[in-house]
């Protein structure tokens, strides 16, 4: 009955052929533009810190003179160097611990051919193995079942060798084999496109940028009275105060844009591997319908599971789109995923008039 219901829902859309190659190319360019922008912002902030520190030593130097001296290494950019060292160490540690963080707070167990407890779990492992071969991955991802009724899944791993996919029991039991295969193709596309490494890098740079900017901001506030005669330092102080209130908003918007871009890429990757746009479209509709129909139950389940905010961006479906709210930060006010209509349109399904 569920399959018939979902088929009826797809009948409300006009189907066409999706140009998944174009989607992959466009969103790949957008991704690297955003990543490059984050690196430039981080580098620019490092230079801003160095200029602020140098202005106390070279009190008569103008802003352009300080900038030129730092860029030409006449003044060594020590703050910028330290910031990049800290970022490199933080990324290394994050890569190592990321998988454990993603499963933290859930009740889960790993699926292997030996540990599969029933036919459904064996089928899940076989589906992942099939999609691994189709995607050309060299290593078999670890497969985890999360004991939850809501329908969701995510992938993790900073490389093919460390890759894993996790799927809730609700999703495994409520999708048919083709839909399950399409969802796994979507998740393995995240691994194949190095999405975890890219988004984790961007998130870490964004968070570190805000932390450094906060420290600089409070230094400006509490030292402003002592430096009234230093024009360069005062000008830098104004720039820092402006950035303190604008850069966090810019960072959130860029991260949301990056997340939505990678979701569309993974959707296109699923079509590429499945050679059909219908299974993923059907799965996405079924997942949303299930969340809407069980909103209150799932709202409690998401809220009672610790660290859901860590997994939210990685999920194939953002619960916020079904009215399930989890506002713990500014970024949680916005969906990390494109709307279902946008995703279906990209897959070649547009609502009939």
């Amino acid at each position: 009955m569920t399959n018939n219901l979902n088929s009826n829902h797809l009948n409300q859309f006009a189907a066409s052929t999706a140009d998944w190659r174009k989607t992959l190319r466009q969103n790949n360019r957008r991704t690297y533009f955003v990543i490059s922008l984050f690196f430039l912002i981080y580098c620019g902030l490092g230079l801003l810190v160095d200029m602020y520190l140098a202005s106390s030593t070279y009190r008569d130097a103008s802003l352009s003179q300080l900038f030129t001296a730092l860029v030409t290494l006449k003044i060594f950019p020590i703050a910028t160097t330290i910031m990049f060292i800290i970022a490199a160490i933080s990324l290394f540690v994050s890569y190592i611990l990321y998988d454990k963080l993603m499963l933290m707070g859930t009740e889960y167990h790993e699926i292997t051919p030996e540990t599969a407890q029933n036919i459904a779990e064996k089928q899940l492992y076989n589906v992942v193995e099939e999609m691994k071969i189709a995607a050309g991955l060299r290593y078999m991802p670890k497969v985890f079942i999360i004991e939850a009724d809501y329908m969701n899944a995510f992938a993790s791993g900073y490389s093919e060798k460390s890759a894993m996919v996790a799927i809730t029991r609700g999703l495994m039991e409520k999708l048919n084999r083709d839909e399950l295969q399409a969802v796994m193709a979507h998740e393995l596309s995240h691994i194949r496109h190095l999405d975890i490494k890219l988004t984790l890098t961007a998130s870490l740079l964004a968070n570190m940028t805000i932390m450094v900017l906060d420290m600089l901001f409070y230094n400006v506030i509490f030292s402003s009275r002592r430096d009234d005669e230093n024009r360069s330092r005062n000008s830098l102080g104004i720039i820092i105060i402006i950035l303190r209130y604008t850069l966090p908003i810019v960072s959130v918007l860029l991260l949301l844009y990056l997340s939505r871009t990678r979701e569309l890429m993974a959707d296109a990757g699923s079509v590429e591997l499945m050679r059909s746009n219908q299974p993923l479209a059907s799965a996405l509709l079924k997942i949303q319908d299930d969340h809407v129909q069980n909103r209150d139950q799932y709202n409690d389940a998401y809220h009672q599971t610790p660290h859901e905010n860590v997994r939210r961006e990685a999920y194939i479906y953002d619960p916020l789109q079904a009215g399930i709210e989890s506002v713990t930060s500014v970024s949680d006010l916005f969906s990390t995923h494109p709307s279902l209509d946008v995703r279906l349109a990209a897959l070649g399904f547009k609502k009939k008039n």
Side-chain angles (χ1 to χ4, degrees):
M1 181 177 179
T2 307
N3 290 338
N4 292 335
L5 176 64
N6 209 62
S7 177
N8 291 337
H9 283 189
L10 269 182
N11 289 336
Q12 299 173 13
F13 293 82
S16 62
T17 303
D19 190 350
W20 54 264
R21 293 182 180 87
K22 182 180 178 182
T23 300
L24 284 172
R25 287 195 303 269
Q26 286 180 339
N27 288 294
N28 207 36
R29 286 196 298 267
R30 291 169 183 169
T31 294
Y32 284 102
F33 170 75
V34 173
I35 294 292
S36 300
L37 200 55
F38 271 116
F39 271 108
L40 287 174
I41 291 172
Y42 193 70
C43 185
L45 182 61
L47 288 174
L48 186 64
V49 175
D50 277 309
M51 288 173 67
Y52 186 74
L53 295 174
S55 66
S56 62
T57 304
Y58 305 96
R59 299 176 65 85
D60 296 328
S62 65
L63 293 180
S64 59
Q65 289 173 329
L66 290 172
F67 179 78
T68 303
L70 286 165
V71 172
T72 57
L73 299 182
K74 290 180 180 178
I75 301 175
F76 185 73
I78 186 168
T80 305
T81 304
I82 292 172
M83 282 174 61
F84 273 99
I85 291 173
I86 294 173
I89 295 172
S90 300
L91 278 172
F92 178 73
V93 173
S94 297
Y95 287 159
I96 293 174
L97 299 177
Y98 191 64
D99 293 348
K100 294 179 181 178
L101 290 173
M102 290 296 288
L103 289 168
M104 190 182 299
T106 64
E107 181 186 347
Y108 66 90
H109 67 272
E110 185 176 355
I111 300 294
T112 66
E114 294 76 28
T115 62
Q117 298 173 2
N118 51 49
I119 294 175
E121 291 187 1
K122 288 179 182 178
Q123 176 180 267
L124 171 62
Y125 188 88
N126 291 339
V127 163
V128 176
E129 192 171 36
E130 290 168 11
M131 289 298 95
K132 170 254 179 186
I133 295 170
L137 300 179
R138 293 172 295 170
Y139 301 95
M140 177 66 184
K142 292 181 179 180
V143 183
F144 292 93
I145 287 281
I146 295 176
E147 299 297 339
D149 291 331
Y150 50 81
M151 299 174 68
N152 235 321
F154 66 85
S156 179
Y158 61 90
S159 66
E160 286 186 23
K161 196 170 184 178
S162 67
M164 57 155 283
V165 292
I167 179 172
T168 63
R169 187 166 294 280
L171 190 141
M172 181 183 71
E173 293 178 347
K174 295 172 186 175
L175 296 184
N176 63 39
R177 196 183 196 282
D178 285 346
E179 293 164 346
L180 183 63
Q181 200 166 26
V183 169
M184 290 299 99
H186 171 101
E187 298 305 338
L188 292 190
S189 293
H190 277 306
I191 296 167
R192 191 167 56 138
H193 299 155
L194 301 177
D195 286 353
I196 290 88
K197 183 180 286 187
L198 290 171
T199 53
L200 188 59
T201 300
S203 298
L204 190 137
L205 288 177
N207 289 330
M208 289 192 64
T209 296
I210 302 305
M211 287 171 60
V212 172
L213 193 56
D214 272 349
M215 290 188 286
L216 202 55
F217 172 76
Y218 288 113
N219 185 276
V220 169
I221 296 299
F222 292 115
S223 64
S224 59
R225 292 184 179 179
R226 297 195 298 268
D227 297 295
D228 287 340
E229 296 179 0
N230 192 330
R231 292 184 178 180
S232 293
R233 196 174 180 86
N234 290 338
S235 298
L236 287 169
I238 294 171
I239 294 172
I240 291 166
I241 292 171
I242 294 172
L243 289 176
R244 170 64 178 75
Y245 293 102
T246 57
L247 202 54
I249 298 172
V250 172
S251 295
V252 167
L253 293 176
L254 285 175
L255 286 173
L256 290 173
Y257 180 75
L258 178 64
S259 176
R260 295 175 184 183
T261 296
R262 302 313 286 183
E263 282 303 311
L264 291 174
M265 279 191 69
D267 287 349
S270 178
V271 175
E272 177 187 7
L273 297 177
M274 294 290 293
R275 299 298 176 185
S276 173
N277 57 356
Q278 192 274 339
L280 183 62
S282 177
L284 290 173
L285 278 170
K286 191 176 288 187
I287 292 169
Q288 171 145 303
D289 289 345
D290 186 64
H291 274 79
V292 171
Q293 291 168 11
N294 300 282
R295 183 183 291 117
D296 293 337
Q297 177 189 342
Y298 291 172
N299 187 63
D300 292 338
Y302 278 114
H303 279 81
Q304 290 170 7
T305 306
H307 310 293
E308 275 297 328
N309 59 319
V310 176
R311 287 179 287 275
R312 182 184 154 209
E313 186 178 329
Y315 276 141
I316 190 172
Y317 179 78
D318 184 0
L320 187 67
Q321 295 185 353
I324 297 173
E325 299 180 2
S326 177
V327 180
T328 58
S329 66
V330 175
S331 62
D332 284 342
L333 295 172
F334 307 95
S335 177
T336 56
H337 293 48
S339 68
L340 185 61
D341 285 345
V342 170
R343 295 176 74 176
L344 291 175
L347 289 171
F349 291 91
K350 294 185 178 179
K351 277 192 173 180
K352 297 176 181 177
N353 293 329

